[in-house]
Amino acid sequence: MTDPAVLGQSVTFPFSGKVAKNRVLKSAMSERLATFSPCDPKERGQPTEELIRLYETWATGGIGIIITGNIQIKKDHLEATGNAIIDKDLPSDYLEYYRTLARAAKTCGSLVLGQLSHPGRQVSLTIQSHPESASDIEHPSMAGVLFARPMPLTKEGIRDIVQRFAYAASVLHEARFDGIQLHAAHGYLLHQFLSLRTNKRTDEYGGVLLSNRARLLLEIIAEIKRAVNDPTFMVSVKLNCHDLSYPHDVSEEEPIALAKMLESAGVDLVEVSGGTYETPQSFEHDRNSHSQRSSQAYFIDFANRLRPYLLHTKICVTGGFRSASAMADAIRSGLTDVVGLARPLAAEPFLVAEMLNGTKSRAKEDKLPPGQILRIAAAAAQIAEIGNGYDITDFNSAFNVSRFVARLQKEIPATMSEAFAGGEAMSF
């Protein structure tokens, strides 16, 4: 057993100067607890009492850095129903609601970052029949979810996307969030521009040059810094180290080069992840294909290879951590600066505090059958229970698992399709 005390050490971020009280990060999970109207996009995306209760609960759990579920920048382009939204075209920017959310999440001294995202082509046909992306490559149907063929964004559309990300960041800054995270992983829009699999453009936003495919992401970062105009406002990026959807993705050169570009752009924290919903097996690829120093973390080997190339930007590895000793080992050995948890905090929102005070040494096991989709649905159910103030279902009970599976079977395909469409990061 490794002493977990190292997890309780503070970490200072190089460009904003922000200080996290410890080295554990709650990674983004799709809460789906904001308002949603299927008919009127103007009635979507408002943070609710349930969403605020959820983050107040996580705040009391001792987490150093809390990253919200992905806040969408367009009211009619959603990762799932119930996403929070900040859209410059809505009659309200929900500023007061986001202020309440920030206060709740910062109750016990956590840093709070709002994750900003656009799903691009990865949006259910039932939500958006005219998606937009880097190119016109349609997402294959998955788990009963159908996707429409996207329209390639025009130059004007790209400029609009840049402005929308900056606008959303400025609202969160005014709402007193500590910063933002840009979601450039897991097959969403920014990743669609970065990936050769989904970016077939021949202009300055596409092609074989990474500098072209990274242009949108870098323009967004620059515009956020210009619009917010506060050097203490933190910028983070969630970055894929691979997605396995085409041969080029097994190369480490591009994600390392991209991370170096992000450091040059003043990004405080790179959260290393991997996988897409098009290739679900890729979420655990690094765990299965490398002999790594941590037996738990999925992407720790890549983080270790990235480490020598970043002089300032901090690294967070998310995916697979379950024990305090493995988390502490990863920090102590210098493989990562911060460790990220997602699904374990849906089952046990106070897990970090309990690990730090020594009352728990690892996350609770579950008896769910193998497979990501069922685990996504289970985590979504637990998040809703926390938000509504209910007892959290213990999936380490075979009885609770059978009852949950039986309930899902009655509601398939609607429930499973919704769970898959809103499964951001819950596989971790």
Side-chain angles (χ1 to χ4, degrees):
M1 290 291 292
T2 299
D3 184 354
V6 68
L7 296 174
Q9 295 175 353
S10 64
V11 55
T12 301
F13 293 97
F15 300 107
S16 66
K18 285 285 194 295
V19 179
K21 64 179 181 179
N22 62 51
R23 292 177 179 260
V24 184
L25 173 147
K26 184 209 80 69
S27 191
M29 291 182 283
S30 183
E31 316 98 350
R32 287 174 285 153
L33 291 175
T35 58
F36 180 78
S37 167
C39 304
D40 186 359
K42 294 180 181 178
E43 297 298 323
R44 298 176 180 175
Q46 176 182 314
T48 60
E49 179 182 333
E50 291 78 13
L51 187 62
I52 291 163
R53 182 182 294 115
L54 172 67
Y55 278 92
E56 192 167 39
T57 303
W58 272 326
T60 60
I63 302 164
I65 308 162
I66 293 176
I67 299 184
T68 70
N70 44 13
I71 299 167
Q72 305 299 299
I73 62 163
K74 293 187 80 169
K75 62 185 180 298
D76 51 353
H77 291 261
L78 308 179
E79 170 256 346
T81 59
N83 284 152
I85 300 170
I86 300 176
D87 185 330
K88 63 186 178 66
D89 294 333
L90 283 174
S92 169
D93 56 17
Y94 304 142
L95 176 60
E96 289 305 318
Y97 294 95
Y98 281 106
R99 278 181 175 158
T100 303
L101 181 60
R103 279 197 300 272
K106 296 171 75 168
T107 301
C108 297
S110 303
L111 292 182
V112 181
L113 311 184
Q115 188 188 73
L116 299 179
S117 183
H118 183 306
R121 68 173 191 151
Q122 202 161 268
V123 53
S124 167
L125 180 64
T126 59
I127 296 175
Q128 177 53 257
S129 59
H130 297 90
E132 52 197 18
S133 183
S135 302
D136 64 351
I137 299 172
E138 185 175 328
H139 195 295
S141 62
M142 298 288 292
V145 182
L146 299 178
F147 303 90
R149 183 175 293 276
M151 291 289 294
L153 279 161
T154 64
K155 300 283 186 64
E156 182 180 357
I158 289 173
R159 285 193 293 272
D160 180 63
I161 292 293
V162 171
Q163 293 300 319
R164 287 175 181 276
F165 272 101
Y167 174 79
S170 68
V171 171
L172 292 178
H173 176 256
E174 193 171 352
R176 300 186 181 92
F177 278 68
D178 293 297
I180 58 94
Q181 182 181 76
L182 296 174
H183 197 342
H186 298 172
Y188 295 105
L189 180 68
L190 298 182
H191 183 220
Q192 289 161 35
F193 269 82
L194 290 168
S195 172
L196 283 166
R197 168 72 175 84
T198 46
N199 187 342
K200 303 297 183 182
R201 302 176 74 95
T202 57
D203 62 8
E204 65 268 34
Y205 291 94
V208 295
L209 291 177
L210 175 62
S211 56
N212 280 359
R213 286 177 279 119
R215 191 180 304 276
L216 172 60
L217 176 58
L218 295 173
E219 286 182 352
I220 289 169
I221 293 169
E223 185 61 18
I224 286 172
K225 288 180 175 289
R226 188 202 64 78
V228 172
N229 194 27
D230 179 354
T232 69
F233 192 67
M234 189 171 166
V235 176
S236 170
V237 174
K238 190 167 192 173
L239 173 67
N240 259 32
C241 59
H242 60 70
D243 63 33
L244 296 191
S245 57
Y246 61 99
H248 301 80
D249 276 332
V250 298
S251 168
E252 298 170 357
E253 294 179 4
E254 283 207 347
I256 288 174
L258 177 59
K260 291 169 65 178
M261 293 178 190
L262 296 177
E263 181 171 77
S264 295
V267 169
D268 273 309
L269 175 68
V270 169
E271 184 182 0
V272 174
S273 189
T276 71
Y277 294 102
E278 185 177 359
T279 55
Q281 75 276 12
S282 59
F283 282 116
E284 299 186 14
H285 170 68
D286 214 48
R287 183 186 202 178
N288 297 330
S289 61
H290 295 288
S291 174
Q292 50 197 77
R293 293 161 70 179
S294 167
S295 62
Q296 296 182 16
Y298 299 162
F299 309 112
I300 199 74
D301 270 4
F302 172 78
N304 186 40
R305 292 187 290 276
L306 172 62
R307 162 69 68 196
Y309 296 93
L310 296 183
L311 301 178
H312 306 290
T313 296
K314 303 298 183 183
I315 299 172
C316 172
V317 175
T318 294
F321 284 112
R322 293 297 180 268
S323 73
S325 60
M327 294 161 65
D329 280 343
I331 298 292
R332 193 183 308 279
S333 59
L335 298 174
T336 185
D337 300 294
V338 178
V339 293
L341 295 175
R343 191 158 47 86
L345 295 178
E348 301 178 273
F350 308 117
L351 177 63
V352 175
E354 291 166 332
M355 283 182 168
L356 291 176
N357 66 27
T359 57
K360 280 193 178 176
S361 62
R362 63 178 301 113
K364 186 182 297 184
E365 301 290 341
D366 68 61
K367 291 185 168 62
L368 291 162
Q372 294 292 356
I373 294 178
L374 191 58
R375 283 180 159 74
I376 288 169
Q382 291 172 322
I383 284 172
E385 288 166 346
I386 298 171
N388 283 281
Y390 301 155
D391 291 338
I392 303 171
T393 300
D394 180 5
F395 289 111
N396 198 31
S397 157
F399 173 76
N400 287 344
V401 170
S402 353
R403 185 169 59 178
F404 181 70
V405 171
R407 193 186 83 201
L408 286 183
Q409 287 173 338
K410 291 179 183 178
E411 300 168 357
I412 289 173
T415 297
M416 296 302 282
S417 295
E418 176 66 11
F420 175 80
E424 168 54 22
M426 292 182 187
S427 54
F428 300 139

